[in-house]
Amino acid sequence: MATATATAPPTSSTTALPQMKKENEKVDYFNLPCPIPYEEIHREAFMSLKPELFEGMRFDFTRGLNQSVFMGPMEIPSQSSETIKIPTAHYEFGANFIDPKLMLFGRIMTDGRLNARVKCDLTDNLSFKGNAQLTNEPHMSHGMAYFDYKGKDYRSQFQLGNGALLGANYIQSVTPNLSFGGEVFWAGQHRKSGIGYAARYNTDKMVATGQVASTGLVALSYVQKISEKVSLASDLMYNYMSKEATASFGYDYILRQCRLRGKIDSNGCASAFLEERLNMGLNFILSAELDHRKKDYKFGFGLTVGE
């Protein structure tokens, strides 16, 4: 005699997956990541769109004490649209001191300019940064001091500079990917003050930032990471006081032995910067900038030797 047995339908684990995902997606607002510093919110876009372009020949040697030689033209302003260039050259000598809690950088050039930077970690959360430039020209030397405090999910900074310049900024993470910030400054010498706001949204594949200030500046940037080696970047700079706007689009391509960056902007200026590793401690550099509107074309090459 055949007997029928009733069996309960198997419980599908797929019905529990959406609930598990929703639980995992809950944001712990008491454990948000610390944002990047306020002045570095456009960091990824600047790395792709603003490489260290130069003109002429450049040679950098780093071995304990830094030395560099630069040969190229000097631009002289003129009333015509064409740029007047005069060949020039200078030598730069520098020294660095790097410690886990103290870093010192110094540069002196043959024209008498002296650049100095210092970074000191006073505590685990409080650090001091300073930079100064001393020149022989009157009223052209300047210096700035920064006090940075790093909290669990926020950062703050206080700035003090010559000319009675005071400033402060603050940035706070509101979600794991979104952060908001603001800044204020007062230039006592020029009797000017300003306030600004910024927002940054980042994921593993993209970074979007926006910044607006009472001085008239509106800055937007977007970086899309196509792969581990390729990323695309764009930015928009607009000044609603002067009604001037500039947009640019660039790329950042990292290969096994070299890195290539380039951009083109709405003013008709195109640039490219190539860094190729020839050997351990030896890099070859190529730089090019074509400004078709001003008919100004800059080309440079150089070598970087050392660590």
Side-chain angles (χ1 to χ4, degrees):
M1 183 173 97
T3 59
T5 58
T7 59
T11 303
S12 177
S13 61
T14 58
T15 58
L17 287 178
Q19 296 179 358
M20 294 177 59
K21 288 183 178 180
K22 288 182 180 180
E23 292 179 357
N24 293 334
E25 290 176 357
K26 289 183 178 179
V27 178
D28 184 5
Y29 291 99
F30 294 98
N31 193 24
L32 295 175
C34 185
I36 68 172
Y38 184 89
E39 67 271 17
E40 297 180 12
I41 59 172
H42 302 285
R43 179 171 58 189
E44 291 82 1
F46 281 175
M47 289 291 293
S48 301
L49 300 174
K50 299 184 184 298
E52 191 178 351
L53 301 173
F54 64 96
E55 185 178 12
M57 186 190 75
R58 171 179 168 184
F59 178 76
D60 296 329
F61 177 77
T62 304
R63 184 71 63 177
L65 296 177
N66 297 347
Q67 304 179 62
S68 63
V69 178
F70 175 82
M71 297 180 64
M74 179 179 62
E75 296 184 2
I76 302 298
S78 62
Q79 296 180 354
S80 63
S81 59
E82 297 183 358
T83 304
I84 301 175
K85 298 182 180 182
I86 299 177
T88 183
H90 67 256
Y91 172 80
E92 179 179 320
F93 177 80
N96 301 336
F97 175 80
I98 300 177
D99 189 72
K101 291 190 175 183
L102 177 64
M103 291 187 290
L104 300 173
F105 305 93
R107 300 287 186 275
I108 187 169
M109 301 174 64
T110 50
D111 58 3
R113 286 182 294 169
L114 173 65
N115 296 316
R117 290 185 297 153
V118 58
K119 183 181 184 300
C120 179
D121 294 332
L122 304 177
T123 65
D124 294 337
N125 300 97
L126 181 63
S127 63
F128 167 78
K129 293 186 299 184
N131 59 65
Q133 183 181 62
L134 305 178
T135 65
N136 296 325
E137 302 178 14
H139 309 294
M140 295 301 294
S141 299
H142 62 85
M144 287 290 296
Y146 307 87
F147 293 91
D148 296 285
Y149 185 81
K150 179 182 178 181
K152 185 179 179 181
D153 56 3
Y154 69 91
R155 288 178 184 265
S156 60
Q157 183 186 81
F158 178 74
Q159 307 167 5
L160 176 64
N162 62 330
L165 177 62
L166 300 175
N169 60 60
Y170 178 88
I171 187 168
Q172 171 76 55
S173 293
V174 293
T175 71
N177 303 105
L178 180 63
S179 57
F180 291 109
E183 65 173 340
V184 294
F185 73 88
W186 164 256
Q189 184 175 0
H190 303 285
R191 300 290 181 179
K192 291 184 179 181
S193 62
I195 186 171
Y197 304 96
R200 174 185 168 95
Y201 184 84
N202 64 285
T203 64
D204 295 335
K205 293 293 184 179
M206 54 81 68
V207 178
T209 60
Q211 187 177 9
V212 61
S214 60
T215 56
L217 172 68
V218 177
L220 305 174
S221 67
Y222 180 81
V223 178
Q224 178 69 48
K225 191 174 183 181
I226 306 300
S227 65
E228 292 294 330
K229 297 181 179 180
V230 181
S231 62
L232 302 178
S234 62
D235 71 346
L236 172 65
M237 298 291 181
Y238 175 66
N239 191 317
Y240 57 81
M241 297 292 188
S242 60
K243 306 300 180 181
E244 295 180 354
T246 303
S248 60
F249 174 80
Y251 59 88
D252 193 345
Y253 193 16
I254 301 177
L255 298 172
R256 188 171 63 90
Q257 290 288 103
C258 71
R259 181 179 184 181
L260 177 63
R261 287 173 284 177
K263 75 163 186 176
I264 184 170
D265 61 27
S266 57
N267 293 325
C269 182
S271 62
F273 189 78
L274 172 68
E275 299 172 276
E276 183 172 2
R277 183 178 180 183
L278 302 178
N279 205 340
M280 182 68 69
L282 179 62
N283 296 329
F284 177 65
I285 305 173
L286 281 177
S287 174
E289 184 177 11
L290 309 177
D291 193 336
H292 298 287
R293 177 177 294 182
K294 297 180 180 179
K295 296 182 180 180
D296 185 15
Y297 309 106
K298 300 177 182 179
F299 300 94
F301 69 95
L303 286 175
T304 301
V305 182
E307 305 152 348

